[in-house]
Amino acid sequence: MSDVEIIKTACRNCHGSCVADVYLKNGKIIKIKPDKNSPLSRGRMCPKGLSGIELVYHPDRLKYPMKRVGKRGEGKWQRISWDEAYDIICDNINEITEKYGREAIAVGHGTGRHHMNQVIRFANTLGTPNWFEPGFAQCFFPRIAVAKMTIGEFMPCDYYSDVNPECIMVWGHNHIKSGHGGENMFLIGDAIKKGSKLIVVDPRRTELAEKADLWLQVRPGTDAALAMAVVNVIIEEELYDKEFVEKWTYGFEELKQRAKEYPPKKVSEITWVPEEQIIQAARMFRAAKPGMMEWGLALEHTCNCVQAVRAVGLIPILTGNIDVPGGWVEGMKLIDPPSKNLDRLPLEQQYKRLGFGEYNLLTALDAPNPGSHIPTILEAMKTGEPYPIKGLLLFGNNGLLSIADTKNTYEAYMANDFICCMDLFMTPTAEISDIVLPAASWLELNEIIGYPAYSANTVLVQKQIVRTHECKSDEEVFCELSKRLGLDWGADKPEDIYNQQLKVTEKRYPEYKGIDFDKMKELNYISVPIEYRKYEKSGFKTRTGKAELYCTQLGAWGYDPLPYYVEPPETVYSQPELAKEYPLTLTTGGRSIYFFCTENRQMPSLRGKHPFPLVEIHPDTAKKHGIEDGDWVYIETPRGRITQKAKVTDGIDPRVINCEYGWWYPEVKTPDHGLWESNANVLTPMSGPYDPAMGTYL
Ligand SMILES: Nc1nc2c(c(=O)[nH]1)N[C@H]1C(S)=C(S)[C@@H](COP(=O)(O)OP(=O)(O)OC[C@H]3O[C@@H](n4cnc5c(=O)[nH]c(N)nc54)[C@H](O)[C@@H]3O)O[C@H]1N2
Ligand SMILES: Nc1nc2c(c(=O)[nH]1)N[C@H]1C(S)=C(S)[C@@H](COP(=O)(O)OP(=O)(O)OC[C@H]3O[C@@H](n4cnc5c(=O)[nH]c(N)nc54)[C@H](O)[C@@H]3O)O[C@H]1N2
Ligand code: SF4
Ligand SMILES: [Mo]
């Protein structure tokens, strides 16, 4: 084995950062093993990360740039050089800009990957305010934005101290399989083994719900009401942390009045959760020291997303579980995210951001991370109103699978004059582009990882270990495109940006004097100890310096500063007539450990474990419709119809079904690759109403 080199790198095949030992022989990766000292995952990796060799050398990878030669979507492609690809992209950007202005170019990316902030930086540098991400207004960012307004910063769960959480409340989340930090799947297991009690709020009896001491089987979309009832019990029974509330929170009296509107009995009728369980959840969480709140995506997939997130977020605040070991903890900010070059985007362009003036938490100049509103962008593509969008640059965005109402997205994307799509594979979305670019996988690119939201007190590196064919990292493409367009990107190569980020590390932590990307590659990862209760020194970084039970920023924008519940727009209660034809409530979340969003369906070792999309149906409902376990069934909404395989289970309410999202069939060789067969977003609506503050669609 002497000719084998072992290189440590962080896996980024999901949002996590498990460190891997990658075995390299004659320039080829021959083995991937978890690094036993990995600071976050502690020596573990999941099947997605371990399938890295399959990913890197997969025969279907995009290998070189290509241009469309047939009709759009016809599947006819011709290989071109990178040089020619750059020329075509620059020519189209210039032509569209001349005719319609820079804002007519939309820049899209997918879920938070290495290049997320770099895509935003590229859009700002380019001079368009219209960047978007399918998950942005409906995934994770609402939690970040709400946390910033409420407690000054997003605070991840602290699994890293000596203190094991006594109780973990898992709300709309299933982080034994998924979640915003992949490695948490191992850490939640460790915490349970060490004795953490578990309260799970989920319409499905998930793997975590199976292990729970208390499972609240909530009606989908009613979490804001349920959380306010828990808040009601915490306040009425005086279960809150009196000292913390008195000293460190703002607006307790106002919250108390609002919570009176949500007594458990009334909320039980709204949410289908028994009254006693609501009371028990409040008491159990309060009795725990510390208690940890793990909140997930489900809260954000409603058009009342901000208030649902706010309501759930108040529970750890009222119980004083903020910036304490084993609770929510403010990260140590070893580095900042890369600069987004917002200063390169002129003010008059910022005013043109689609959705500006309506969804302030998403689009306003003082929004935490201004981005544009997807339904408004798609409308602009289709109708030219309020102004035309004519060019679409996509960097890891499989929007035909991931954005609601696929038919609408398809029509909107197709209406563009020019689409460039950078991806690892020829997805249904790449297939309707004019240019496709081959992206590097996690084993083929350099990156620095360390956002406070994920890894709190640790920075890690991801290394370019191999390169296959002509793939490049997205960051390299941004550098080159900026150069060719004569734009000020602020760096010659991606590593310059990482070095800029590490300057912050050096400044904040003198023990890392002289650190740069090369040094980081030697160190692999660095951590600093967490300091707790930082607010005692400097207050919370909110407008009032307190944890805001009453949110002054939402109030200043004219939104309700206190959480409230509204019935979702398409339910058996809000639309009883429609319910006669469509009597079941559908959810389309819930992830599989073998897939990441719309990815991995072409990976034999992963697909082999989960070959078909599954729709969960209660045995009574299945019987009523003559369905047996394993049958292919139709699922239909007013938008369309798809088919998935029935998984008959009493872990779901007879009135609810859950189908899987992200399904396309790479093995189907027509250019749509089965896009319309099993894709949950054929079923979902995009027509509004939208969350007033965030613009979130259902
Ligand atoms: N119905 C329903 N819809 C949903 C959801 C749901 O639960 N239900 N979830 C929503 C959420 S939370 C999210 S975040 C979105 C996700 O939606 P997307 O982000 O659009 O989906 P992904 O499949 O994660 O990523 C898109 C593409 O990025 C490619 N890719 C991977 N790495 C790279 C890279 O380094 N560079 C480039 N250029 N490409 C890369 C992948 O191959 C993939 O084709 O979907 C949303 N849509
Ligand atoms: N393995 C794997 N990991 C992933 C992903 C993946 O696709 N696969 N995707 C990544 C992405 S982009 C994201 S955003 C995260 C998402 O990860 P999570 O935050 O864990 O989100 P989901 O798994 O979609 O849904 C969590 C749970 O919410 C439940 N749920 C559905 N509707 C409701 C509701 O109305 N209320 C409540 N309380 N619960 C409800 C579902 O049944 C599900 O069990 O995971 C990331 N990590
Ligand atoms: S959890 Fe995420 S980071 Fe860890 S091995 Fe799996 S895919 Fe990689
Ligand atoms: Mo997401």
Side-chain angles (χ1 to χ4, degrees), residues 117 153 331-339 447-453 455-461 497-509 512 515-517 520 526 528:
N117 285 305
E153 199 57 76
M332 295 310 294
K333 298 209 186 62
L334 261 158
I335 55 169
D336 284 341
S339 160
E447 191 209 353
I448 188 137
I449 312 150
Y451 308 120
S455 44
N457 64 337
T458 303
V459 172
L460 309 96
V461 284
I497 301 174
Y498 313 144
N499 286 335
Q500 288 162 15
Q501 290 178 263
L502 286 163
K503 284 268 172 256
V504 175
T505 314
E506 194 173 4
K507 212 161 122 200
R508 289 189 187 141
Y509 295 92
Y512 292 117
I515 194 150
D516 62 6
F517 190 72
M520 268 306 299
I526 56 174
V528 295

Side-chain angles (χ1 to χ4, degrees), residues 329-451:
V329 62
E330 189 185 339
M332 295 310 294
K333 298 209 186 62
L334 261 158
I335 55 169
D336 284 341
S339 160
K340 299 198 188 95
N341 284 0
L342 191 58
D343 56 332
R344 319 284 205 277
L345 186 66
L347 206 54
E348 72 266 19
Q349 287 302 94
Q350 298 196 38
Y351 291 135
K352 290 184 196 158
R353 196 183 297 284
L354 289 170
F356 188 82
E358 281 188 273
Y359 313 107
N360 287 311
L361 191 53
L362 176 70
T363 62
L365 297 183
D366 54 347
N369 188 10
S372 56
H373 185 231
I374 293 182
T376 312
I377 290 198
L378 298 181
E379 205 51 27
M381 288 173 184
K382 285 202 313 188
T383 65
E385 298 293 339
Y387 59 76
I389 295 278
K390 292 290 183 182
L392 184 54
L393 308 178
L394 299 173
F395 298 92
N397 167 299
N398 196 3
L400 296 189
L401 270 301
S402 53
I403 298 176
D405 194 349
T406 305
K407 185 165 169 283
N408 181 58
T409 311
Y410 178 83
E411 286 167 8
Y413 274 24
M414 286 293 281
N416 282 276
D417 289 348
F418 177 72
I419 308 178
C420 167
C421 182
M422 181 153 177
D423 205 298
L424 297 158
F425 291 97
M426 190 60 108
T427 65
T429 309
E431 286 276 14
I432 60 160
S433 307
D434 301 283
I435 295 283
V436 292
L437 303 175
S441 71
W442 65 272
L443 289 151
E444 298 172 298
L445 60 89
N446 285 329
E447 191 209 353
I448 188 137
I449 312 150
Y451 308 120

Side-chain angles (χ1 to χ4, degrees), residues 145-325:
V146 161
K148 277 182 190 284
M149 293 188 299
T150 310
I151 46 177
E153 199 57 76
F154 180 85
M155 300 199 189
C157 290
D158 178 24
Y159 292 103
Y160 303 107
S161 77
D162 299 333
V163 181
N164 198 44
E166 228 174 71
C167 179
I168 307 178
M169 192 180 256
V170 182
W171 201 307
H173 198 28
N174 191 27
H175 60 301
I176 204 147
K177 290 260 165 93
S178 51
H180 54 271
E183 59 279 343
N184 283 8
M185 77 171 68
F186 309 114
L187 306 179
I188 174 79
D190 295 347
I192 296 169
K193 271 195 209 122
K194 280 195 239 156
S196 298
K197 285 214 162 71
L198 203 57
I199 305 171
V200 172
V201 184
D202 200 302
R204 300 184 306 133
R205 197 175 62 229
T206 57
E207 299 70 9
L208 278 178
E210 294 271 4
K211 298 179 199 292
D213 297 276
L214 181 61
W215 169 41
L216 310 190
Q217 190 175 18
V218 65
R219 174 165 73 94
T222 63
D223 299 275
L226 185 60
M228 283 305 277
V230 173
V231 167
N232 171 301
V233 178
I234 290 175
I235 295 179
E236 294 302 321
E237 295 194 3
E238 297 193 20
L239 300 172
Y240 52 93
D241 181 330
K242 294 207 176 83
E243 198 190 330
F244 182 81
V245 166
E246 198 172 299
K247 235 171 146 176
W248 291 109
T249 66
Y250 177 84
F252 181 71
E253 280 309 315
E254 288 89 340
L255 177 67
K256 186 173 174 180
Q257 290 312 313
R258 176 61 61 86
K260 282 191 196 304
E261 295 172 28
Y262 297 91
K265 190 166 182 330
K266 172 178 147 190
V267 168
S268 169
E269 282 162 25
I270 300 172
T271 59
W272 302 344
V273 176
E275 187 185 349
E276 321 74 71
Q277 286 190 2
I278 301 175
I279 297 168
Q280 202 189 342
R283 290 179 184 162
M284 211 168 134
F285 192 69
R286 173 51 180 137
K289 287 184 189 61
M292 181 191 271
M293 173 63 78
E294 277 278 19
W295 49 356
L297 173 66
L299 297 174
E300 295 161 331
H301 275 196
T302 73
C303 48
N304 189 34
C305 132
V306 170
Q307 299 298 354
V309 172
R310 280 263 305 147
V312 172
L314 294 183
I315 297 168
I317 298 175
L318 286 169
T319 49
N321 284 299
I322 303 297
D323 217 14
V324 294

